[in-house]
């Protein structure tokens, strides 16, 4: 039995409604283009799966892995594993992230992907937690929800690998 205390912060209905709105905005902005949605493993997988099914444009999908967290703390360094097989050069790349916290992961991903010379590079995040930002170099083009400085799990987000499968986004007090 776990002693973790969970409380719903964003319900599955609220998430679904907002993901639909985001998909409409992305479809409008990329009309006539076929962007490459680069999903950051592992947390953004659920978000990506729901988002692409709401889009009205065709997209390519590929994956990249980035990790900076141990438990509920940022290590301060980012490990990137480029799992994608797509050619990034000259593509309209949209990074799909679960949550932007310190911003270090995004900054590292942006630097890394810029070296591959995409036609454009934008960032879409399910959650934005701006209170702990440690870099100014984050431009969030699409965001579903801005949340307070709480550790959250569910809908792909984990605590030490647990709770990704919760359908709602919950605050966690270990
Ligand atoms: P950043 O580099 O500090 O912006 O952290 C981004 C990464 O940290 C995310 O992709 C998550 O994997 C993890 N992270 C940050 N905040 C949370 C949280 O509240 N719950 C779960 N993971 C988080």
């Amino acid at each position: 039995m776990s002693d973790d205390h969970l409380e719903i912060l964003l319900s599955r209905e609220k998430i679904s409604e907002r993901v639909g709105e985001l998909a409409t905005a992305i479809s409008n902005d990329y009309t006539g283009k076929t962007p490459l949605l680069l999903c950051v493993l592992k947390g953004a997988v659920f978000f990506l799966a729901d988002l692409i099914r709401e889009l009205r444009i065709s997209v390519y999908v590929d994956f990249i892995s980035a990790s900076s967290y141990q438990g509920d703390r940022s290590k301060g360094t980012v490990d990137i594993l480029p799992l994608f097989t797509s050619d990034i050069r000259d593509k309209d790349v949209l990074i799909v992230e679960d949550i932007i916290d310190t911003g270090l992961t995004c900054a590292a991903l942006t630097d890394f992907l810029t070296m591959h010379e995409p036609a454009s590079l934008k960032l879409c995040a399910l959650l934005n937690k701006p209170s702990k930002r440690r870099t100014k170099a984050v431009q969030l083009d699409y965001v579903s929800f801005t949340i307070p400085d709480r550790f959250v799990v569910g809908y792909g987000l984990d605590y030490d690998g647990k709770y990704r499968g919760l359908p709602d986004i919950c605050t966690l007090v270990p």
Side-chain angles (χ1 to χ4, degrees), residues 48-69:
L48 171 89
D50 285 344
L51 184 69
I52 53 173
R53 286 179 290 176
E54 296 290 330
L55 291 172
R56 297 192 315 269
I57 50 168
S58 58
V59 293
Y60 303 108
V61 171
D62 219 323
F63 299 90
I64 190 165
S65 168
S67 58
S68 61
Y69 253 61

Side-chain angles (χ1 to χ4, degrees), residues 10-160:
L10 297 164
S11 67
R12 63 199 84 179
E13 294 82 13
K14 217 167 171 177
I15 298 167
S16 164
E17 190 186 329
R18 189 69 191 113
V19 169
E21 290 171 1
L22 222 55
T24 302
I26 293 169
S27 301
N28 289 339
D29 292 352
Y30 286 93
T31 301
K33 296 179 175 171
T34 307
L36 168 64
L37 269 53
L38 201 55
C39 174
V40 185
L41 295 176
K42 302 171 187 163
V45 167
F46 292 44
F47 176 40
L48 171 89
D50 285 344
L51 184 69
I52 53 173
R53 286 179 290 176
E54 296 290 330
L55 291 172
R56 297 192 315 269
I57 50 168
S58 58
V59 293
Y60 303 108
V61 171
D62 219 323
F63 299 90
I64 190 165
S65 168
S67 58
S68 61
Y69 253 61
Q70 241 160 12
D72 63 355
R73 298 276 131 84
S74 172
K75 288 183 292 177
T77 55
V78 183
D79 300 322
I80 293 178
L81 202 58
L83 302 167
F84 53 84
T85 51
S86 311
D87 194 4
I88 302 283
R89 185 185 297 261
D90 296 334
K91 289 251 173 41
D92 292 299
V93 176
L94 179 60
I95 303 171
V96 179
E97 250 286 32
D98 53 0
I99 182 166
I100 313 298
D101 184 17
T102 63
L104 295 175
T105 303
C106 269
L109 283 171
T110 304
D111 285 351
F112 177 80
L113 291 168
T114 301
M115 289 190 304
H116 289 259
E117 301 181 355
S120 67
L121 185 60
K122 286 189 176 185
L123 176 61
C124 172
L126 173 67
L127 301 174
N128 181 25
K129 205 157 60 169
S131 50
K132 289 229 289 280
R133 206 62 108 241
R134 281 167 57 184
T135 170
K136 289 199 173 74
V138 175
Q139 198 206 313
L140 251 175
D141 300 285
Y142 306 97
V143 61
S144 297
F145 301 98
T146 295
I147 61 165
D149 185 15
R150 307 286 301 277
F151 194 81
V152 288
V153 293
Y155 196 67
L157 292 147
D158 74 307
Y159 171 65
D160 268 347

